Amino acid sequence: SSDACQVDCQNGGRCIGQNRCSCMYGFGGPKCESDLRTGPCFTQLSNYQCKGQLIGVVCTKALCCATIGKAWGNPCEKCQTESYPCRRGYILNAQGNSCQGLCVGGRCINNIGSYVCECREGQRQNLLTNLCEDINECGEQRGACQNGLCVNTEGSYFCECHNGYEHGPSKTQCVPVRKNLCFTKIRNSQCVSAIQNARYSRSDCCCKHGGNGWGDRHTCHICPLRESNEYLTLCQLVEPLTIGKTGESCQRHGTCLNGQCHRVGRKWKCQCYTGFQNVNGSCIDIDECLNNVCRRGECTNTDGSFICTCSDGFVLDKDGRTCTDMNECEKENMCPNGVCQNMNGSYKCRCNPGFRQSPNQQVCYDINECVNNGKLCLNGACHNTPGSYYCECKRGFSLSPDGAFCV
């Protein structure tokens, strides 16, 4: 009955019962919404002709168009310039009806037949979810932060040193506290007026005993200015960075998706990676394509960046933003039997005598004078040659001075 067939079957599917569709070959899903067909992937589309087929690659239209493809299938189907159904670099998750990134939080790099996900330093890709996830160095690196407490952060980690230890050249190691002289005055960049009969650590000297310099009489380390970030760190006046399961800020949880936790004064805040902006404490991707960053090209937004794709006849400049004319005439043998003339986004051939242009003006064909001019080689036989011809006269005849007929 009509009541049984109210489902909207897609892609040529036919309703065969209540909420049931019979799908065309190559389609699936409750409403035949999933295109499961596989075919060749093409990287170029010019004058409605597909070019640049990826050799040995057979994939779905969604995967082709989400990565490097401009067209797909046999017969060829153009990839939609708008989202299909997701923007480039993303593919539809039919179960969640949402767009899922091929490489979430990292950089998707296309290669022949597949792609690789390049995560940021301190991250690796989760093969099940495609997410670039933080590496917990504190849990994976044996011996991390010996003589201290290891604190994991997004993309890195640091150590909170035990009493009697201090940070080494980096904040990822704790070394025994060195004790030296504490000086109350600095004169001509030299430490003078040492506190007598005592040696202190640098933090005790600069933070507790009012010192202005620490070291010995040959090597002087000037104490940092009060309220500077270095002073707050040295004197341990910064609020601690605590770790939680999930959250909105570095202060509460020590995590920052698409950014890193940094100290600003006495607080921890999220500093976003390039290509992201801080919106209410979260690092959100900036759509650079809204600012017309691609000159004379097509812009595709990606996580944290963008890609400029140039039209046929143009190449991308080193700045990654400008499409400049490709001088095809610099290539060898672009116009055999003619002279190559470069044009904006293309080229044409100026043909040598005896040759004519093809309809697109990019090939020089030989003119068969023997066919085109029936009056040539009268009283003889006409023989065509590349760019010219010659007459072979009958017995008793000789070639005219211009070589065009026999007398």
Side-chain angles (χ1 to χ4, degrees):
S1 65
S2 59
D3 293 336
C5 280
Q6 295 180 350
V7 63
D8 183 18
C9 299
Q10 303 175 22
N11 296 309
R14 182 171 55 89
C15 180
I16 58 173
Q18 187 174 7
N19 296 327
R20 292 180 60 197
C21 292
S22 176
C23 302
M24 299 282 288
Y25 178 79
F27 295 91
K31 298 182 181 180
C32 306
E33 72 278 4
S34 299
D35 188 349
L36 307 176
R37 298 173 299 164
T38 58
C41 187
F42 301 89
T43 60
Q44 299 177 30
L45 187 66
S46 177
N47 296 326
Y48 302 101
Q49 293 185 347
C50 294
K51 301 178 181 179
Q53 179 179 347
L54 298 178
I55 304 301
V57 175
V58 177
C59 62
T60 64
K61 183 176 181 179
L63 185 58
C64 173
C65 296
T67 52
I68 197 174
K70 292 293 184 65
W72 169 91
N74 186 16
C76 176
E77 300 177 19
K78 178 183 177 181
C79 290
Q80 297 181 14
T81 54
E82 299 177 354
S83 54
Y84 176 77
C86 306
R87 63 184 172 93
R88 195 169 283 257
Y90 289 77
I91 196 167
L92 181 67
N93 184 330
Q95 293 181 344
N97 196 27
S98 61
C99 292
Q100 175 179 314
L102 296 174
C103 183
V104 182
R107 181 168 171 241
C108 184
I109 301 176
N110 188 73
N111 57 29
I112 300 298
S114 185
Y115 69 96
V116 293
C117 185
E118 187 179 85
C119 296
R120 295 183 177 87
E121 185 178 359
Q123 295 181 331
R124 74 164 68 94
Q125 186 186 24
N126 185 317
L127 299 180
L128 296 178
T129 64
N130 290 336
L131 289 171
C132 281
E133 297 179 345
D134 173 56
I135 298 173
N136 186 349
E137 293 87 354
C138 297
E140 296 187 12
Q141 294 184 11
R142 287 188 176 183
C145 292
Q146 291 185 1
N147 305 312
L149 174 65
C150 184
V151 179
N152 187 59
T153 62
E154 188 72 26
S156 186
Y157 72 101
F158 68 90
C159 302
E160 290 184 350
C161 298
H162 297 320
N163 290 334
Y165 294 88
E166 61 185 357
H167 288 130
S170 69
K171 293 184 179 180
T172 59
Q173 58 182 169
C174 295
V175 297
V177 171
R178 293 180 299 159
K179 292 187 177 182
N180 226 321
L181 297 175
C182 185
F183 298 88
T184 59
K185 296 181 181 179
I186 303 295
R187 185 179 301 158
N188 297 325
S189 300
Q190 297 294 319
C191 294
V192 295
S193 300
I195 299 176
Q196 298 297 321
N197 303 320
R199 287 181 175 268
Y200 303 98
S201 67
R202 184 167 179 251
S203 60
D204 284 346
C205 171
C206 298
C207 305
K208 297 179 180 180
H209 296 281
N212 288 310
W214 174 85
D216 55 38
R217 300 190 185 279
H218 303 288
T219 304
C220 176
H221 298 277
I222 299 175
C223 292
L225 296 175
R226 291 180 178 274
E227 297 302 322
S228 67
N229 283 340
E230 185 181 358
Y231 181 86
L232 295 174
T233 301
L234 178 65
C235 302
Q236 297 183 353
L237 298 177
V238 181
E239 294 183 9
L241 178 65
T242 57
I243 305 301
K245 296 181 179 179
T246 59
E248 302 173 348
S249 69
C250 297
Q251 185 65 32
R252 293 175 57 194
H253 304 293
T255 59
C256 180
L257 183 62
N258 299 320
Q260 280 190 323
C261 294
H262 286 271
R263 191 187 67 254
V264 179
R266 296 173 183 257
K267 302 287 185 178
W268 289 94
K269 292 187 177 180
C270 187
Q271 180 174 320
C272 299
Y273 293 130
T274 301
F276 296 88
Q277 60 185 343
N278 196 312
V279 178
N280 298 325
S282 299
C283 290
I284 306 300
D285 173 52
I286 299 172
D287 190 348
E288 295 86 354
C289 297
L290 297 178
N291 298 322
N292 298 320
V293 293
C294 293
R295 297 180 57 191
R296 296 190 295 273
E298 178 184 343
C299 181
T300 302
N301 189 57
T302 63
D303 271 345
S305 186
F306 62 94
I307 297 174
C308 290
T309 304
C310 300
S311 303
D312 290 344
F314 292 86
V315 292
L316 193 62
D317 206 358
K318 293 180 180 180
D319 63 2
R321 297 168 176 256
T322 306
C323 292
T324 57
D325 173 53
M326 176 195 301
N327 189 352
E328 294 88 351
C329 296
E330 293 181 345
K331 299 180 181 179
E332 293 185 4
N333 298 320
M334 287 301 295
C335 287
N337 306 314
V339 178
C340 182
Q341 291 183 311
N342 186 56
M343 301 171 62
N344 192 29
S346 185
Y347 72 98
K348 68 178 181 179
C349 297
R350 188 175 72 246
C351 297
N352 297 332
F355 295 86
R356 60 179 174 84
Q357 284 182 331
S358 62
N360 65 3
Q361 299 185 324
Q362 294 181 349
V363 179
C364 291
Y365 292 111
D366 173 51
I367 298 173
N368 191 337
E369 295 85 354
C370 299
V371 174
N372 291 351
N373 189 347
K375 296 182 179 180
L376 288 176
C377 298
L378 187 65
N379 300 315
C382 182
H383 297 276
N384 187 61
T385 61
S388 187
Y389 70 97
Y390 69 92
C391 295
E392 184 179 348
C393 297
K394 296 179 181 178
R395 182 176 296 180
F397 292 85
S398 60
L399 195 63
S400 64
D402 61 1
F405 57 92
C406 299
V407 294

